[in-house]
């Protein structure tokens, strides 16, 4: 009840972010229900139904990541002086954040269920002249218990992830004068990217005999291709903080001035916060470019079905929104530093120039990296 009251009195931008989480949850819930409909309509293809359900894990994971990022930037869950005296300590605020996340995801799941039942004709008759009847198994009874179980997965996972991400923790004090440690995931990330590309190459050259039935009609590529892309995405996510930290060092190279020094130090300090979502966005865009190259090469029209497009759009939108939310969290985290710089007379143009420098160096590094990985991923499939 307290979470609902906080949601009602929140800032419009905060409510907008929560509604975006609900919209993403509705998309994931619709995908899960369509997978259930496929299983009901094709009981003889149980293995294909399981693979379609596993494919839905990707948009579900992207939505969970976005929900956690929104929970981290929620001002109502930040510890403030005096809240502990009325019973709202860090642990209680973490529980409120998890409950708010669960409420938003549950709202999206309910919308997905109502829309799915409407398309099946279970509420007001078949819409669109029954165009979606075969896709949603409209002639078969829907197992309500299975549908509710699938729809409950996202709220439970998102609320648990938000609670774990925001749980109170005590960090060891760093020695005086010591920097923040360098992110240690870069070597492992590079190794995973190499392994993922190798698996994609091997699976792509092995032919399409063991096709992966994705939701839609894009069924002609082996399951190893998707497995290799997942490893590549995980590797880029692990390497993202290290690459971002290196970009900060690059900005400070060769006799930096005050602006370059400020921009580089901010990138190094916030490499863990924005590096991981930046790596995920790079992986998603590389996969999108590789899929576009494959579509242009030999797939032809109709290769991507509507549900495949919905899943890809969810992944792309959620990962991009997560990156923007992480950038907002980073800006909020250094608000006191920005105020201190302005108090001592730093011109606002210096802060804006430093922000442009950070964005420019990240684009200069991650854009060719994304394009290169996309070309390497698409080469064994198009060649």
């Amino acid at each position: 009840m307290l979470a609902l009251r906080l949601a009602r009195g929140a800032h419009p931008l905060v409510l907008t972010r929560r509604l975006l989480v609900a919209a993403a949850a509705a998309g994931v819930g619709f995908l899960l229900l369509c997978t259930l409909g496929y299983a009901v309509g094709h009981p003889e293809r149980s293995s294909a139904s399981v693979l379609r359900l596993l494919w839905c894990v990707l948009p579900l994971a992207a939505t969970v990541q976005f929900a956690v990022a929104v929970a981290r930037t929620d001002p109502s869950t930040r510890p403030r002086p005096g809240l502990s005296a009325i019973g709202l300590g860090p642990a209680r605020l973490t529980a409120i954040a998890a409950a708010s996340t669960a409420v938003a995801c549950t709202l999206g799941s309910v919308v997905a269920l109502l829309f799915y039942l409407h398309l099946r004709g279970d509420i007001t008759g078949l819409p669109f002249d029954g165009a979606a009847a075969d896709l949603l198994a409209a002639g078969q009874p829907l197992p309500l218990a299975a549908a509710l179980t699938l729809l409950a997965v996202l709220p439970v996972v998102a609320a648990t992830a938000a609670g774990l991400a925001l749980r109170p923790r005590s960090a060891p004090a760093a020695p005086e004068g010591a920097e923040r440690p360098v992110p240690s995931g870069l070597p492992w990330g590079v190794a995973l990217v190499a392994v993922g590309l190798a698996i994609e190459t091997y699976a792509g050259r092995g032919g399409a005999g063991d096709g992966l039935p994705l939701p839609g009609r894009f069924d002609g590529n082996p399951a190893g291709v998707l497995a290799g892309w997942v490893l590549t995405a995980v590797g880029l996510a692990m390497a993202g903080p290290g690459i971002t930290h290196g970009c900060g060092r690059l900005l400070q190279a060769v006799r930096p001035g005050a602006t370059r020094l400020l921009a580089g130090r901010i990138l190094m300090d916030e490499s863990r916060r924005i590096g991981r979502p930046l790596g995920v966005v790079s992986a998603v865009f590389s996969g999108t470019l590789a899929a576009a190259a494959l579509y242009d090469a030999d797939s032809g029209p109709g290769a991507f079905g509507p549900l495949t497009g919905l899943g890809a759009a969810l992944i792309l939108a959620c990962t991009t929104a997560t990156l923007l939310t992480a950038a907002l969290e980073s800006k909020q985290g250094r608000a006191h530093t920005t105020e201190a710089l302005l108090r001592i007379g730093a011109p606002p143009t210096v802060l804006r120039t430093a922000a442009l420098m950070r964005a420019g160096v990240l684009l200069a590094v991650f854009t060719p990296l994304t394009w290169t990985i996309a070309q390497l991923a698409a080469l064994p499939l198009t060649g």
Side-chain angles (χ1 to χ4, degrees):
M1 186 61 66
L2 180 59
L4 291 175
R5 290 181 179 179
L6 290 174
R8 186 180 62 180
H11 192 274
L13 290 179
V14 177
L15 288 176
T16 301
R17 291 198 293 267
R18 290 175 180 169
L19 289 177
L20 289 177
V21 172
V28 173
F30 185 76
L31 279 179
L32 292 172
L33 291 175
C34 289
T35 301
L36 177 62
Y38 180 86
V40 171
H42 304 83
E44 73 282 358
R45 303 178 185 175
S46 58
S47 59
S49 301
V50 172
L51 287 175
R52 286 171 175 258
L53 185 61
L54 290 177
W55 185 86
C56 293
V57 171
L58 295 178
L60 187 145
T63 303
V64 169
Q65 184 193 26
F66 177 44
V68 171
V70 169
R72 292 175 64 97
T73 57
D74 193 340
S76 64
T77 59
R78 290 190 203 133
R80 291 185 294 273
L83 290 182
S84 298
I86 60 174
L88 292 178
R92 184 72 181 275
L93 291 177
T94 300
I96 292 174
S100 301
T101 303
V103 168
C105 293
T106 302
L107 174 62
S109 297
V110 171
V111 172
L113 179 60
L114 294 177
F115 185 65
Y116 181 79
L117 293 177
H118 173 66
L119 291 181
R120 276 175 50 93
D122 295 335
I123 299 179
T124 58
L126 281 173
F128 308 115
D129 297 328
D134 294 335
L135 182 63
L136 306 180
Q140 302 289 335
L142 180 69
L144 187 59
L148 294 179
T149 301
L150 286 177
L151 291 177
V153 170
L154 179 59
V156 171
V157 173
T160 304
L164 292 176
L166 298 175
R167 70 187 188 276
R169 66 190 75 181
S170 57
E176 185 177 355
E179 298 183 356
R180 294 191 181 184
V182 180
S184 59
L186 182 58
W188 292 102
V190 172
L192 281 178
V193 169
V195 171
L197 290 175
I199 291 177
E200 288 184 53
T201 302
Y202 179 79
R205 290 180 178 176
D210 184 19
L212 177 65
L214 300 179
R217 296 184 296 274
F218 191 54
D219 302 340
N221 291 286
V225 173
L226 183 61
W229 181 82
V230 170
L231 283 179
T232 302
V234 173
L236 282 174
M238 292 182 64
I243 297 175
T244 305
H245 193 276
C247 291
R249 288 193 175 276
L250 181 64
L251 276 176
Q252 300 175 80
V254 191
R255 301 176 62 185
T259 306
R260 278 204 293 140
L261 187 63
L262 176 62
R265 292 300 301 181
I266 290 177
L267 269 186
M268 290 172 61
D269 291 342
E270 299 176 352
S271 59
R272 297 178 185 273
R273 183 175 295 171
I274 66 173
R276 186 166 287 108
L278 191 57
V280 172
V281 168
S282 177
V284 170
F285 273 95
S286 66
T288 303
L289 292 175
L294 178 62
Y295 174 83
D296 292 337
D298 56 3
S299 293
F304 296 93
L307 299 183
T308 305
L310 174 61
L314 278 174
I315 295 173
L316 187 62
C318 288
T319 52
T320 304
T322 301
L323 177 60
L324 296 177
T325 307
L328 176 62
E329 181 189 6
S330 174
K331 181 180 179 180
Q332 292 174 348
R334 63 173 186 272
H336 296 295
T337 304
T338 302
E339 293 175 0
L341 288 174
L342 293 176
R343 269 199 312 269
I344 63 176
T349 54
V350 172
L351 301 178
R352 289 194 291 266
T353 304
L356 291 176
M357 284 184 176
R358 294 196 302 272
V361 72
L362 290 176
L363 284 175
V365 171
F366 276 93
T367 299
L369 176 64
T370 301
W371 183 85
T372 301
I373 292 179
Q375 295 302 311
L376 292 176
L379 185 61
L381 298 177
T382 57

